[in-house]
Amino acid sequence: MARNYVRTITDMERYYYGAGNAMGYSYSGSELLKSDSPMLSTTAGTYQAIYGRKVWSQLNQEFNAFSILPKKPWDRSGWRVITGKPSDATTGSSLGGVAENSTLPDTQRPTFQHIAAKPKTIAHTFDMSETAIFLADKDDGMGDIRSVLKEEMGKHHAESVNKMLLDDVDNPAGNNFESLDRVTAAYADDGTTASTTGMNEGHGNLTVNGDLDIYSINRVNNKSWANAEMSNNVAGDAATARVLSLDVLDDLFQRLWVRGGNPKVILTGYDTLMRLQQLLQSQQRFMEEKRVTPTYNGVKGVPGIEAGFIVATYNGVPIIPSKDVTKDGISRMYLLDTDYLHFSTAIPTQYFESGIETGDPFAINRLGQEGLYRTMGEIWTTFFGAQGSVRDLK
């Protein structure tokens, strides 16, 4: 039988060692069917995962609000404003007409007021031990851990500034930059004061006098000129969310134009952007479609069809979304005239490092390395009437 069966060396190996192995290893048939002690990837000492040196961030760290603001150098610590038109006590409501051969009217002048502002400093630091830096370049480390942390902390610094600019007006700025939410807010124009009904700034629940004050302005006493144009849905001290409508948005545009403003950009959240899209979708006319991607100061908005399915602009004003816009039901909308709104830069964002890697461990008093991002400045608006917001939306 064996003689008739064995014709090649492979036949012989199968005859003597079994059909499952042709390399001379003495496994029996039963051993080929099961294994009581398998070598697995989880077996200790046999497998080392390799993760690579690239670090992939899973976080959205955009900073669109900060990016769209024009940046200007800090050349003074305040500015003057005209808060009242010239008055004419002798001619009453006359526009200046005088009778033939009459005496000249009394002289007039506008009302001036100064506003003071100080720069604020925002800083973020991080550190690494000498051992961590050494091991990062060995085995399966991240490589240049300094570069990784420097990149990620730079993003965190910018995102933190962005969040300050979009913080709710309820939250005092303190040492943070002022917020667009405060810039575009307003006291109630019904004669009420903060001490009796709270600060009626868009969603109620404000009871602390001074939450709307900004720079050196006591805003409750200067409502006539320091109020922004605000569309809200507050009665007394309570707010009720209302559905966004084009009438609400068009009304705010009109009010801003009457005050002398001309919005250059609309800043809102992605949810409100989609709600506006739904409003305009029913009005889309299937004529020639023009695809646009709005940009403002280098920041790209969401691409779409002009005033169509994915809104790119409204009334010709580009819409830029940001994830950090304050929400009531959905995100608020800020209509900004950047002719009168900018970030006044005292010291631009700078990066500093000190420690063992830069030859100065005595500066941080240990064998390690520290990094620091720092920005100094403040958001300025020189004309409140040109800025607006829509609040209490759902």
Side-chain angles (χ1 to χ4, degrees):
M1 294 290 293
R3 185 184 61 217
N4 295 333
Y5 178 78
V6 177
R7 292 185 174 87
T8 66
I9 189 65
T10 301
D11 292 339
M12 182 178 290
E13 289 172 344
R14 285 175 176 170
Y15 183 82
Y16 286 103
Y17 302 134
N21 194 294
M23 299 301 294
Y25 302 123
S26 56
Y27 292 145
S28 68
S30 61
E31 288 175 321
L32 294 173
L33 295 176
K34 67 183 184 68
S35 178
D36 294 327
S37 183
M39 186 73 73
L40 304 176
S41 62
T42 55
T43 302
T46 62
Y47 177 76
Q48 173 65 47
I50 303 299
Y51 297 99
R53 293 184 173 179
K54 177 64 178 176
V55 178
W56 302 94
S57 176
Q58 304 297 300
L59 306 173
N60 181 0
Q61 295 176 301
E62 53 97 324
F63 45 98
N64 289 354
F66 183 65
S67 298
I68 66 173
L69 291 177
K71 312 300 187 298
K72 298 182 180 180
W74 188 290
D75 57 359
R76 58 191 183 279
S77 294
W79 57 96
R80 292 183 177 89
V81 295
I82 294 177
T83 63
K85 297 180 180 180
S87 59
D88 187 349
T90 61
T91 58
S93 60
S94 170
L95 295 179
V98 294
E100 181 180 351
N101 205 35
S102 66
T103 59
L104 294 176
D106 293 342
T107 59
Q108 308 173 57
R109 64 172 176 80
T111 303
F112 295 91
Q113 183 168 327
H114 69 270
I115 299 173
K118 295 192 303 181
K120 296 175 181 175
T121 301
I122 308 303
H124 291 95
T125 61
F126 62 96
D127 63 0
M128 305 149 282
S129 71
E130 183 183 33
T131 303
I133 295 174
F134 175 79
L135 292 177
D137 199 34
K138 305 296 185 291
D139 307 319
D140 186 32
M142 290 190 295
D144 190 351
I145 190 174
R146 292 168 59 197
S147 295
V148 173
L149 287 178
K150 182 178 179 180
E151 178 182 357
E152 292 306 312
M153 288 302 297
K155 294 176 183 177
H156 175 69
H157 181 76
E159 183 190 28
S160 296
V161 170
N162 195 76
K163 289 182 176 180
M164 294 175 195
L165 299 181
L166 295 173
D167 200 10
D168 195 314
V169 68
D170 289 1
N171 303 325
N175 293 322
N176 294 336
F177 296 142
E178 283 290 357
S179 72
L180 293 171
D181 203 46
R182 182 170 287 106
V183 167
T184 60
Y187 276 102
D189 197 26
D190 57 4
T192 59
T193 63
S195 60
T196 58
T197 63
M199 296 181 183
N200 190 337
E201 52 71 64
H203 59 286
N205 302 323
L206 283 176
T207 57
V208 180
N209 192 6
D211 272 7
L212 265 68
D213 292 351
I214 187 171
Y215 313 128
S216 61
I217 306 169
N218 184 327
R219 222 161 168 187
V220 72
N221 295 328
N222 294 279
K223 294 195 296 284
S224 60
W225 63 270
N227 265 356
E229 287 299 323
M230 183 181 67
S231 174
N232 63 357
N233 196 38
V234 174
D237 203 24
T240 304
R242 65 308 186 25
V243 176
L244 173 64
S245 69
L246 297 184
D247 288 340
V248 168
L249 199 52
D250 291 341
D251 174 70
L252 184 60
F253 264 97
Q254 179 179 327
R255 289 160 53 186
L256 288 168
W257 291 331
V258 169
R259 285 284 295 273
N262 188 20
K264 305 300 188 300
V265 62
I266 299 173
L267 183 68
T268 189
Y270 293 92
D271 50 354
T272 304
L273 179 65
M274 296 303 293
R275 187 63 52 85
L276 187 58
Q277 169 198 338
Q278 294 166 3
L279 282 174
L280 292 169
Q281 182 172 340
S282 62
Q283 301 183 18
Q284 176 70 24
R285 298 295 180 265
F286 292 91
M287 301 170 66
E288 180 182 357
E289 294 183 353
K290 181 182 178 182
R291 295 271 177 182
V292 293
T293 300
T295 60
Y296 198 78
N297 282 357
V299 181
K300 288 187 177 182
V302 176
I305 300 173
E306 174 75 11
F309 294 101
I310 297 180
V311 182
T313 67
Y314 188 77
N315 274 347
V317 180
I319 302 173
I320 302 295
S322 179
K323 64 182 178 61
D324 295 317
V325 176
T326 298
K327 301 177 186 290
D328 296 316
I330 57 176
S331 299
R332 298 171 185 174
M333 303 181 73
Y334 303 120
L335 279 64
L336 307 175
D337 189 340
T338 51
D339 287 348
Y340 308 100
L341 179 70
H342 67 275
F343 184 83
S344 189
T345 307
I347 301 178
T349 302
Q350 289 181 311
Y351 176 72
F352 302 91
E353 241 188 74
S354 184
I356 191 72
E357 291 290 301
T358 48
D360 190 19
F362 300 103
I364 62 173
N365 197 30
R366 60 186 177 80
L367 296 175
Q369 190 78 4
E370 286 193 10
L372 163 68
Y373 281 95
R374 184 262 285 118
T375 302
M376 183 185 293
E378 180 61 288
I379 181 176
W380 279 17
T381 180
T382 54
F383 183 18
F384 288 98
Q387 318 305 333
S389 59
V390 181
R391 302 158 183 258
D392 304 321
L393 298 173
K394 66 177 181 179

